[in-house]
Amino acid sequence: MDTLNIELKQAIIKVLQEYIEYLGNDPETQCQLVIDETGNHYLLIEIGWQNSRRIYGTLIHLDIINQKIWIQHDGTEEGIANELVNLGIPHQQIVLAFKTVERRKITDFAVY
């Protein structure tokens, strides 16, 4: 495995773990970090119950494709891309996959 992919994986795991710490410990819900290192898939999911209502959903879904971080889903207020940039990942190593190609072209981030 090359150094770039290792750096991308480390940045992804660090930022997702920081989100888990930030969201804290709710006795009725929990955040789980799901990592598929073989397929390069990283998810932060929330599960549990609140007021007799089932909570289950993906907060963040990131993939590493062609040595870039592809943000498939971003359920954060701040934006996971900004957190990755703050960790030193260049804009051109991040793809906002949840946006159309046309919209990606007008951002500072990678198109593909």
Side-chain angles (χ1 to χ4, degrees):
M1 180 176 305
D2 61 65
T3 306
L4 178 58
N5 272 356
I6 292 170
E7 290 175 18
L8 296 177
K9 287 180 181 193
Q10 290 173 341
I12 288 170
I13 292 169
K14 179 173 176 44
V15 78
L16 292 178
Q17 287 174 335
E18 287 174 358
Y19 269 100
I20 290 173
E21 291 173 18
Y22 172 75
L23 293 171
N25 294 328
D26 183 332
E28 295 185 16
T29 63
Q30 64 175 308
C31 289
Q32 293 181 353
L33 179 56
V34 180
I35 299 173
D36 170 12
E37 288 200 52
T38 303
N40 291 315
H41 308 291
Y42 304 83
L43 291 90
L44 181 60
I45 61 172
E46 183 179 30
I47 62 171
W49 293 88
Q50 285 182 339
N51 301 324
S52 300
R53 183 173 163 216
R54 179 69 172 156
I55 302 296
Y56 180 86
T58 302
L59 299 174
I60 301 168
H61 176 176
L62 308 172
D63 293 328
I64 298 176
I65 302 170
N66 296 325
Q67 299 184 325
K68 290 184 171 63
I69 297 174
W70 286 64
I71 302 174
Q72 305 292 357
H73 178 74
D74 184 355
T76 69
E77 290 182 30
E78 186 70 24
I80 195 80
N82 295 325
E83 300 293 331
L84 292 165
V85 169
N86 289 341
L87 287 176
I89 303 299
H91 286 83
Q92 289 305 308
Q93 292 300 127
I94 301 170
V95 177
L96 305 178
F98 58 91
K99 294 185 180 285
T100 65
V101 173
E102 292 78 25
R103 301 251 347 236
R104 288 184 221 160
K105 289 177 183 178
I106 61 173
T107 72
D108 292 334
F109 296 97
V111 175
Y112 296 105

